[in-house]
Amino acid sequence: MTHRRIGVTAMAVALAAGAGQAAAQFEGETLSLFNWSQYMDPAIIEGFEDEYGVEVVENYFNSNGEMFAKLQAGGVSQYDIVVPSNYYVSRLVESGLVQPLDHDRLPNLDNLMGTFIDPDFDPGNRYSVAYQWGTTGLVYDRDALGDVPASWSVLFDPEVNPDAPFALPEDAQVTLGAACAWLGHGYDCTGRDALEEAARLVLETKQRDNFAGFIQGTPVLQQLVRGSVAAGMTFNGDYLFFKSEDPEGFENIEYVIPKEGAEVWVDNMMIPAEAPNPALAHAFIDYILRAEVGAQLSNWNYYSSPNEAALPMLDEVLQQPPITPTDAEMESLTFIPSLKGDNLQFLQQVWREVESR
């Protein structure tokens, strides 16, 4: 544990001590949180448990698809809070897997930055509240690849990378978005012709001798430092976290926003439709929305806070690239579009073809 994290834990203890008496109505209850791995400061959980007299049970998923499938298979009545990315919010709503939020129970909702209030993927924040935000970019080993351009060509152009092993995420929209951007259609492409062309490119890429497989954003960092792969896609916060933990191993591993465009995302807190403890879930969401807790969360996991009131308390490293993109980078970043109905079915169909061939 670094000195920085010891300081964060100390702050959590101080916050818990000054929080006052726990809410009596929740005494002895259990909150079930279904979240991404390594995405929650244990001290925040301890502080919430102490203040409310409850227990928090954490379970983890590695992809939005895994989370969605688990909810469909009965998890909708097992978990009190899930944390999907923006482009899965509408899928959860359309599938009836989540319930509307009671804003009267969320007085700290006003702490959110304007960007995350009334988002296109959830008008009026009816179902979701922003948790953390970041970018998905290109990560590569400079020792293996040399001085390559800040471009998706490192993954999709065999002339730029003829033999170094590389990976792609197994998430359809993330990978097809990068392929669309490389082809000139923009990372947020939705047209069927563009998606078909992107799918063909991914299929061709998959069949190259140096394609190492579909590896998600966090595991690919572990593969990079071991030398199993030389390039892939990952998240800016994970990259900075791994680099801070192992500066020598990551000395020559770079994270860049490709010039063709990339993804900006926001993960969100939502309550499943049959959550065992929805009132306690609201209390937890509002707890995360406190300014001090929001800053503590970002300072622990290295992602950007959507909490306007938390920004002055963020560590300096979070207020510069790669965590806070430059103005030029922001212009090239886009949210992955939320697809539904026939458009979503088409995307899933072309991706199944990519996976099966």
Side-chain angles (χ1 to χ4, degrees):
M1 179 177 287
T2 65
H3 290 297
R4 190 188 62 78
R5 292 200 174 202
I6 290 173
V8 167
T9 303
M11 183 175 75
V13 172
L15 286 172
Q21 295 297 319
Q25 69 268 32
F26 299 123
E27 188 77 31
E29 292 188 7
T30 299
L31 178 86
S32 295
L33 173 63
F34 198 27
N35 199 357
W36 301 85
S37 60
Q38 297 180 333
Y39 209 25
M40 171 59 73
D41 181 358
I44 290 178
I45 297 297
E46 292 171 9
F48 181 77
E49 289 177 329
D50 290 345
E51 180 172 337
Y52 284 86
V54 300
E55 179 184 3
V56 177
V57 177
E58 297 180 83
N59 290 276
Y60 307 102
F61 56 87
N62 292 310
S63 70
N64 284 292
E66 178 187 343
M67 175 272 303
F68 188 84
K70 189 66 178 287
L71 290 182
Q72 286 185 312
V76 69
S77 61
Q78 298 173 9
Y79 304 116
D80 296 301
I81 293 177
V82 295
V83 189
S85 300
N86 48 281
Y87 60 102
Y88 260 77
V89 168
S90 63
R91 297 189 199 183
L92 291 168
V93 173
E94 293 286 323
S95 301
L97 295 173
V98 291
Q99 60 180 270
L101 299 174
D102 182 354
H103 286 197
D104 289 339
R105 296 181 176 181
L106 303 173
N108 290 320
L109 189 63
D110 290 341
N111 283 344
L112 283 182
M113 298 166 60
T115 303
F116 303 106
I117 294 177
D118 195 30
D120 290 342
F121 57 84
D122 182 23
N125 296 98
R126 189 179 178 200
Y127 292 91
S128 67
V129 172
Y131 176 77
Q132 295 277 265
W133 71 276
T135 62
T136 304
L138 171 71
V139 63
Y140 68 93
D141 186 340
R142 193 170 62 247
D143 281 348
L145 290 167
D147 293 324
V148 294
S151 166
W152 293 121
S153 62
V154 175
L155 303 179
F156 297 118
D157 189 343
E159 292 187 5
V160 173
N161 177 17
D163 47 31
F166 68 96
L168 294 171
E170 60 185 358
D171 188 301
Q173 281 190 269
V174 172
T175 295
L176 290 177
C180 274
W182 164 240
L183 292 167
H185 303 306
Y187 195 95
D188 56 348
C189 69
T190 57
R192 295 196 174 194
D193 289 345
L195 287 172
E196 283 185 344
E197 186 180 359
R200 285 194 296 271
L201 173 60
V202 174
L203 184 57
E204 293 170 3
T205 301
K206 176 185 173 183
Q207 294 169 345
R208 285 162 50 192
D209 291 340
N210 55 329
F211 177 65
F214 290 105
I215 305 175
Q216 289 297 97
T218 301
V220 82
L221 289 166
Q222 299 164 332
Q223 297 291 328
L224 273 160
V225 78
R226 291 175 191 153
S228 302
V229 298
M233 295 172 63
T234 196
F235 316 113
N236 58 342
D238 273 12
Y239 166 76
L240 186 60
F241 171 76
F242 275 80
K243 185 173 182 177
S244 70
E245 294 287 300
D246 182 11
E248 183 177 348
F250 278 79
E251 182 178 2
N252 293 303
I253 295 176
E254 302 288 343
Y255 176 89
V256 296
I257 300 296
K259 60 185 180 182
E260 299 90 3
E263 176 195 14
V264 59
W265 50 262
V266 56
D267 291 331
N268 305 270
M269 296 175 285
M270 304 183 77
I271 302 177
E274 300 173 23
N277 294 295
L280 184 58
H282 278 86
F284 183 80
I285 292 173
D286 200 57
Y287 185 83
I288 296 298
L289 286 171
R290 294 180 186 178
E292 297 85 355
V293 176
Q296 179 181 343
L297 178 61
S298 287
N299 288 337
W300 186 86
N301 66 25
Y302 292 90
Y303 282 104
S304 299
S305 177
N307 192 322
E308 183 86 42
L311 298 184
M313 292 175 276
L314 295 183
D315 290 346
E316 184 178 352
V317 70
L318 303 184
Q319 302 183 39
Q320 58 194 18
I323 303 307
T324 298
T326 66
D327 290 343
E329 288 172 338
M330 284 301 298
E331 290 181 4
S332 68
L333 294 169
T334 57
F335 283 118
I336 287 180
S338 299
L339 299 178
K340 59 182 71 175
D342 292 343
N343 290 332
L344 178 57
Q345 289 180 4
F346 178 79
L347 173 85
Q348 293 170 332
Q349 175 187 338
V350 297
W351 190 248
R352 281 194 297 269
E353 293 178 6
V354 168
E355 290 183 312
S356 64
R357 293 168 60 183

